[in-house]
């Protein structure tokens, strides 16, 4: 163990003074923990990436973490909720299986890969306890300290007996031994809502034997686990505990309770690091607001609480919870609140964070905007489509062999990304944008208070285009002659779409969400909002209207609210709908809107299952059913292009250049984003990257 405690407000002590730090930046100071030297203070915490192959970390899993190591961070942890025994599985997969020796050679390859770039590698090993799914994989009942049911994962657990306890303690040790044989630098256990934490907490431990009652009894299982892990690891490897510092529940562990538990583990010498978390994870809303806070929560919401905890321990303290920017990370280290700052989702947005920091390019770091898209599509970042696709997409764009003249029509997310990637390739790029500023539909989305951080997707790309000296021409509605006048080699149409209402009888009586978000003038009283997509657009606009005093009733075609949105944000929306008293009607689609003599509007809906009709009246009706492509310029250019506007999908998916075609026409033509079909931000940017990375 090493003491690194610093007085409040001072620089954290560095245990290896003979090594000169690369700069005075607190984030770039090295940190020594036992025999492990971490080259700086930035890390990524373990999480379930859902990139495993049958519970094993193969090529794509390793490449995802390797990009972070290449990017300069000191430590990447992996294997969130990795199972130590056969009754610790959850539905949907995504866990590594540390209950088998089959994983050892993959760990050995993984370790060599990460160490080659100067970073350290650790794995989280855990047992889910009552969080396990009894209806998948091995179909074994969930076990826990006591009989209970977790709301989120839904299994009814049986109470563990002494045989179960001995078995699982041994399984933890065996999993740690596999990590050691695999060449890892350490392992991490998890308290919180997992089995060790379930023993800790009076919310889930109702036992009256030597494993229940007093704090000393409730920590007994965890002590046995860590003693066995330490025995298998030896003294050299790092043993971290992802440690809850407060359950934020009147029936759960208080901050003082958690301090007492921490003192016991520190006293026994069984932990080298406290990786601190706050709150609970046994409900979706707790996960969304406490365990993995997203856009609805402030930046670094628990940093002060973790800093207070650090004053009570001599062990290094790590922490992750919406620390997305370098300024906050630097503050946390400089003020002695943390010893390692975890920027996990920030590294999904940009794995090159540390390299850019060391080069003095802090302003070039692609920001994490907190959209939580990575929780919906696993590690796919909303605006870095290469994250999680490292085997097929580049994190760093390579220069093209031949310079080309590229014209991009449209300055929304797709067009901005196309222009950025082409310019990084070394091409001569001009971008036409009809509006007074780039951004497209995202500029409207940012008008919703809870989604204003999405502007980072636009701002970063605009800044990159300025650096790359791209010719951006706003207030220019580009037509065919404007495009051809640029004498292009490649034309990329990214003109987006317009609200889709042509299908609706009585559409002239309705407004789109674009109308609502463009101005709040005239929006008051009672509003019916029809959501035909289940995406953010309709849901967030309903909240926007309610926040401005409207009485809102949302009707959706789906069987649940916000069906296309990541599960954590769905819970946030449901909570906000309840607080704003927004009524919701499910399973209905809109078929007609009419105006009566009193100037009131009647919306007629049909039930998706029964076919029954439902009439609803309101002073205003807002309709959201995605967009229809705004692609006139694309169709005008098709016959003039060498490829007739056809993007070869086999080449696109293979990540190779588009096939050359014999033609008198000079330019090839492509369209991307909503100019093709109504989708989402990630799809638009993904379109642009995989097309343009080989142009």
């Amino acid at each position: 163990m090493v003491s690194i405690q610093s007085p409040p407000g001072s620089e954290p002590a560095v245990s290896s003074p003979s090594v000169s730090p690369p700069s005075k930046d607190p984030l770039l100071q090295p940190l020594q923990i036992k025999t492990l030297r971490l080259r700086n203070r930035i890390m990524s915490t373990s999480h379930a990436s859902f990139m495993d192959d049958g519970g094993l970390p193969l090529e794509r899993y390793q490449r995802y973490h390797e990009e972070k190591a290449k990017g300069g961070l000191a430590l990447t942890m992996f294997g969130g909720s990795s199972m130590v025994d056969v009754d610790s599985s959850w539905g949907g997969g995504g866990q590594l299986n540390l209950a088998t020796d089959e994983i050892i050679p993959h760990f050995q390859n993984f370790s060599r890969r990460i160490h080659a770039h100067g970073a350290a590698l650790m794995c989280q090993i855990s047992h889910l306890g009552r969080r396990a799914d009894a209806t998948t994989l091995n179909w074994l009942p969930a076990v826990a300290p006591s009989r209970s049911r977790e709301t989120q994962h839904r299994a009814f657990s049986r109470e563990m007996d002494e045989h179960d306890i001995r078995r699982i303690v041994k399984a933890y040790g065996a999993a740690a031994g596999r990590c050691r044989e695999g060449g890892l630098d350490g392992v991490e256990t998890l308290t919180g809502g997992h089995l060790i934490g379930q023993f800790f907490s009076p919310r889930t431990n109702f036992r009256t034997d030597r494993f229940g009652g007093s704090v000393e009894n409730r920590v007994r299982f965890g002590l046995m686990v860590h003693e066995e892990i330490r025995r298998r690891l030896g003294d050299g490897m790092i043993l971290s505990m992802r440690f809850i510092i407060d359950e934020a529940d009147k029936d759960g562990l208080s901050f003082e309770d958690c301090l007492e538990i921490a003192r016991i583990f520190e006293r026994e010498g069984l932990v080298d690091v406290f990786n601190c978390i706050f709150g609970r994870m046994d409900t979706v809303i707790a996960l969304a607001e406490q365990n993995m806070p997203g856009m609805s929560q402030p930046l670094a919401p628990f940093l002060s609480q973790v800093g207070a905890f650090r004053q009570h321990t001599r062990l290094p303290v790590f922490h992750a919870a919406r620390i997305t920017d370098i300024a906050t990370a630097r503050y946390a280290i400089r003020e002695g609140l943390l010893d390692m700052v975890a920027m996990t989702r920030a590294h999904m947005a940009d794995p090159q964070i540390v390299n850019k920091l060391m080069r003095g390019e802090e302003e070039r770091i692609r920001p994490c905007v907190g959209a939580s898209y990575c929780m919906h599509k696993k590690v796919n970042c909303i605006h870095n489509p290469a994250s999680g696709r490292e085997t097929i997409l580049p994190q760093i764009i390579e220069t093209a062999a031949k310079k080309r003249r590229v014209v991009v029509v449209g300055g929304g997310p797709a067009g901005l990304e196309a222009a950025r990637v082409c310019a990084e390739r070394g091409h001569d790029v001009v971008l036409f944008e009809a509006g007074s500023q780039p951004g497209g539909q995202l500029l409207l989305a940012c008008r919703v208070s809870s989604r204003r951080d999405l502007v980072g997707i636009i701002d970063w790309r605009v800044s990159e285009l300025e650096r790359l000296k791209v010719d951006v021409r706003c207030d220019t509605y580009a037509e065919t002659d404007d495009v051809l006048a640029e004498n292009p080699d490649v034309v990329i149409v990214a003109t987006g779409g317009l609200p889709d209402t042509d299908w609706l009888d009585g559409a002239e009586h309705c407004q789109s969400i674009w109308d609502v978000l463009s101005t709040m003038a005239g929006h008051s009283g009672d509003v019916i909002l029809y959501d035909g997509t289940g995406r953010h657009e309709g849901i967030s606009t309903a909240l926007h209207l309610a926040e401005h005093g409207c009485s809102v009733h949302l009707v959706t075609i789906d069987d649940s609210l916000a069906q296309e949105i990541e599960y954590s944000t769905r819970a946030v929306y449901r909570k906000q709908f309840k607080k704003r008293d927004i009524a919701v009607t499910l399973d209905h689609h809109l078929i007609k809107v009419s105006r009566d003599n009193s100037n009131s509007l009647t919306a007629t809906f049909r039930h998706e299952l029964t076919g029954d009709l439902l009439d609803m009246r309101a002073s205003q009706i807002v309709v959201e059913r995605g967009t229809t492509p705004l692609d006139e310029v694309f169709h005008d250019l098709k016959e003039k292009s060498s490829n007739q506007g056809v993007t070869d999908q086999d080449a696109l998916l293979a990540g190779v250049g588009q096939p050359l075609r014999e033609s008198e026409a000079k330019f090839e033509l492509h369209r991307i984003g909503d100019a093709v079909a109504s989708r989402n931000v990630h799809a638009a940017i993904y379109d642009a990257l995989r097309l343009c990375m080989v142009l």
Side-chain angles (χ1 to χ4, degrees):
M1 308 283 175
V2 61
S3 171
I4 57 171
Q5 183 70 27
S6 304
S10 69
E11 292 287 324
V14 178
S15 303
S16 187
S18 61
V19 179
S20 299
S23 80
K24 294 182 180 180
D25 191 330
L27 290 173
L28 299 179
Q29 305 285 327
L31 174 66
Q32 191 82 22
I33 306 175
K34 299 172 76 169
T35 61
L36 178 64
R37 181 181 183 274
L38 299 173
R39 58 185 173 184
N40 55 59
R41 302 302 183 95
I42 298 177
M43 63 176 288
S44 174
T45 53
S46 55
H47 52 285
S49 66
F50 288 82
M51 296 171 63
D52 62 295
D53 292 275
L56 300 175
L58 304 187
E59 178 73 10
R60 60 178 184 159
Y61 194 109
Q62 296 181 28
R63 287 281 296 276
Y64 164 65
H65 286 275
E66 185 180 18
E67 286 300 321
K68 304 179 191 184
K70 287 180 181 179
L73 56 55
L75 167 65
T76 186
M77 290 186 174
F78 70 98
S81 304
S82 294
M83 55 188 290
V84 300
D85 213 344
V86 292
D87 53 355
S88 182
S89 64
W90 62 19
Q95 292 171 282
L96 295 185
N97 183 6
L98 272 78
T100 171
D101 288 345
E102 187 181 355
I103 205 164
I104 295 172
H106 301 293
F107 276 1
Q108 291 169 341
N109 184 51
F110 200 174
S111 298
R112 286 191 293 267
R113 189 188 293 259
I114 299 302
H115 292 157
H117 300 291
L121 184 67
M122 293 176 63
C123 181
Q124 184 180 99
I125 63 175
S126 191
H127 195 292
L128 292 169
R130 71 177 192 151
R131 284 175 71 81
D133 192 333
T135 62
T136 58
L137 194 59
N138 297 315
W139 283 74
L140 293 170
V143 298
S146 307
R147 288 192 302 109
S148 63
R149 182 181 191 243
E150 187 193 86
T151 305
Q152 183 182 356
H153 284 209
R154 308 187 69 79
F156 289 89
S157 62
R158 69 171 178 84
E159 182 172 297
M160 295 167 62
D161 58 23
E162 294 260 359
H163 172 79
D164 295 315
I165 289 172
R166 290 192 299 271
R167 168 177 61 86
I168 293 175
V169 167
K170 184 178 179 180
Y172 266 102
R178 294 179 183 108
C179 292
R180 181 178 183 178
E181 289 187 56
L184 305 186
D185 298 290
V187 301
E188 177 178 79
T189 59
L190 174 60
T191 64
H194 286 220
L195 185 57
I196 296 173
Q198 291 163 25
F199 271 93
F200 286 173
S201 177
R203 295 183 65 254
T204 47
N205 185 346
F206 317 126
R207 302 173 74 104
T208 57
D209 62 1
R210 66 192 184 110
F211 294 97
S214 66
V215 170
E216 290 79 5
N217 282 352
R218 283 186 274 120
V219 301
R220 192 183 307 277
F221 172 75
L223 290 172
M224 292 168 63
V225 166
H226 284 77
E227 286 170 355
E228 179 65 12
I229 293 174
R230 178 62 76 198
R231 185 181 72 81
R232 298 296 295 265
L233 291 182
D235 292 331
M237 289 183 67
I238 303 302
L239 177 49
S240 168
M241 181 188 287
R242 196 156 196 184
F243 184 72
I244 190 165
I245 63 167
D246 192 334
E247 284 194 307
D249 184 280
K250 63 181 179 61
D251 298 320
L253 293 167
S254 67
F255 182 75
E256 290 72 23
D257 294 331
C258 295
L259 283 181
E260 183 178 355
I261 294 171
R263 291 189 193 104
I264 293 171
F265 278 86
E266 185 172 352
R267 180 190 69 209
E268 298 299 321
L270 295 175
V271 176
D272 301 314
V273 170
F274 286 117
N275 187 1
C276 295
I277 55 177
F278 182 93
R280 294 158 44 199
M281 63 175 74
D282 56 351
T283 66
V284 180
I285 194 65
L287 194 78
E289 294 184 343
Q290 298 174 349
N291 195 250
M292 289 185 279
M295 190 179 289
S296 67
Q297 300 301 301
L299 293 175
F302 311 119
L303 188 55
S304 61
Q305 292 95 323
V306 176
F309 174 86
R310 186 182 182 274
Q311 302 307 310
H312 295 275
T313 180
R314 295 179 61 82
L315 298 181
V317 170
F318 301 174
H319 175 55
R322 205 169 181 233
I323 302 175
T324 63
D325 63 291
I326 288 297
T328 302
R330 184 179 290 118
Y331 165 80
I333 299 298
R334 184 186 65 237
E335 299 302 318
L337 303 176
L338 305 177
D339 300 291
M340 288 288 290
V341 60
M343 305 182 74
T344 307
R345 283 179 280 184
H347 273 86
M348 296 176 194
D350 193 342
Q352 286 283 317
I353 288 174
V354 176
N355 282 348
K356 289 178 179 178
L357 182 61
M358 293 181 71
R359 292 196 300 262
E361 299 176 349
E362 184 176 331
E363 73 286 349
R364 288 201 55 222
I365 295 171
R366 185 188 327 225
C368 170
V369 298
S372 296
Y373 190 82
C374 51
M375 297 179 69
H376 179 44
K377 298 296 183 182
K378 312 319 171 191
V379 297
N380 293 149
C381 171
I382 190 172
H383 74 131
N384 180 8
S387 185
R389 299 187 179 101
E390 286 76 12
T391 58
I392 59 172
L393 294 178
Q395 291 286 0
I396 299 176
I397 306 300
E398 295 182 353
T399 303
K402 180 182 178 182
K403 186 174 183 177
R404 306 171 82 181
R405 175 71 167 169
V406 179
V407 173
V408 179
V409 186
L416 289 172
E417 178 72 353
R420 181 190 75 86
V421 175
C422 288
E424 289 279 13
R425 297 273 288 158
H427 299 314
D428 184 14
V429 182
V430 59
L431 183 148
F432 292 114
E433 165 54 34
S436 60
Q437 65 182 111
Q441 296 178 50
L442 265 188
L443 294 178
L444 290 175
C446 294
R447 295 193 176 189
V448 177
S449 59
S450 62
R451 306 192 76 209
R452 61 169 62 99
D453 288 352
L454 290 173
V455 74
I457 296 173
I458 301 303
D459 289 348
W460 180 75
R461 285 173 171 78
V462 169
S463 178
E464 286 292 282
L465 295 192
E466 291 174 354
R467 178 183 65 85
L468 293 163
K469 296 180 170 52
V470 171
D471 182 2
V472 178
R473 303 178 193 174
C474 292
D475 294 312
T476 305
Y477 190 93
E479 298 181 334
T480 299
D481 290 344
D482 300 304
V483 173
L484 296 179
E486 298 299 320
N487 197 26
D489 298 304
V490 181
V491 177
I492 300 172
V493 175
T495 43
L498 293 174
D500 182 10
T501 58
D502 291 345
W503 53 275
L504 178 61
D505 181 5
E508 67 274 13
H509 303 304
C510 304
Q511 295 175 309
S512 70
I513 63 168
W514 291 26
D515 297 322
V516 173
L517 297 178
S518 296
T519 174
M520 281 304 297
H523 296 288
S524 60
D526 55 328
V527 179
I528 294 172
L529 191 150
Y530 172 65
D531 178 21
T533 68
R535 302 175 188 168
H536 286 278
E537 289 90 329
I539 310 299
S540 63
T541 302
L543 280 169
H544 183 73
L545 286 163
E547 289 170 359
H548 285 79
C550 295
S551 174
V552 183
H553 190 141
L554 183 137
V555 182
T556 176
I557 194 172
D558 297 319
D559 61 5
S560 62
L561 184 69
Q563 193 153 304
E564 285 193 25
I565 299 172
E566 56 279 0
Y567 72 98
S568 60
T569 306
R570 284 202 301 268
V572 172
Y573 276 139
R574 293 201 309 272
K575 179 178 177 178
Q576 291 172 334
F577 266 47
K578 177 63 177 176
K579 291 174 67 174
R580 294 287 179 183
D581 198 26
I582 299 174
V584 178
T585 297
L586 306 174
D587 288 320
H588 282 77
H589 69 267
L590 180 62
I591 60 174
K592 184 175 66 173
V593 175
S594 57
R595 187 182 296 277
D596 60 25
N597 293 333
S598 63
N599 213 31
S600 180
L601 297 174
T602 299
T604 302
F605 297 90
R606 177 174 286 122
H607 195 281
E608 282 288 282
L609 305 180
T610 68
D612 294 341
L613 298 182
L614 171 67
D615 285 341
M616 299 177 64
R617 293 165 62 88
S619 59
Q620 296 172 74
I621 295 175
V622 179
V623 175
E624 162 56 12
R625 206 186 75 161
T627 57
T628 183
L630 179 61
D631 54 4
E632 181 180 349
V633 69
F634 172 80
H635 289 291
D636 287 346
L637 289 166
K638 281 177 64 174
E639 297 303 319
K640 300 177 177 64
S641 68
S642 61
N643 62 334
Q644 302 292 293
V646 175
T647 301
D648 187 287
Q649 293 190 348
D650 291 336
L652 185 73
L653 296 179
V656 298
Q658 293 287 305
L660 297 175
R661 294 175 172 86
E662 294 294 332
S663 171
E664 294 182 0
K666 181 180 178 183
F667 68 92
E668 60 182 88
L669 172 68
H670 305 278
R671 58 175 170 167
I672 58 177
D674 281 7
V676 181
S678 179
R679 290 173 291 163
N680 61 23
V681 174
H682 179 84
I685 294 174
Y686 188 11
D687 273 4
L689 175 59
R690 64 179 170 183
L691 172 69
C692 298
M693 72 180 188
V694 290
L695 283 179

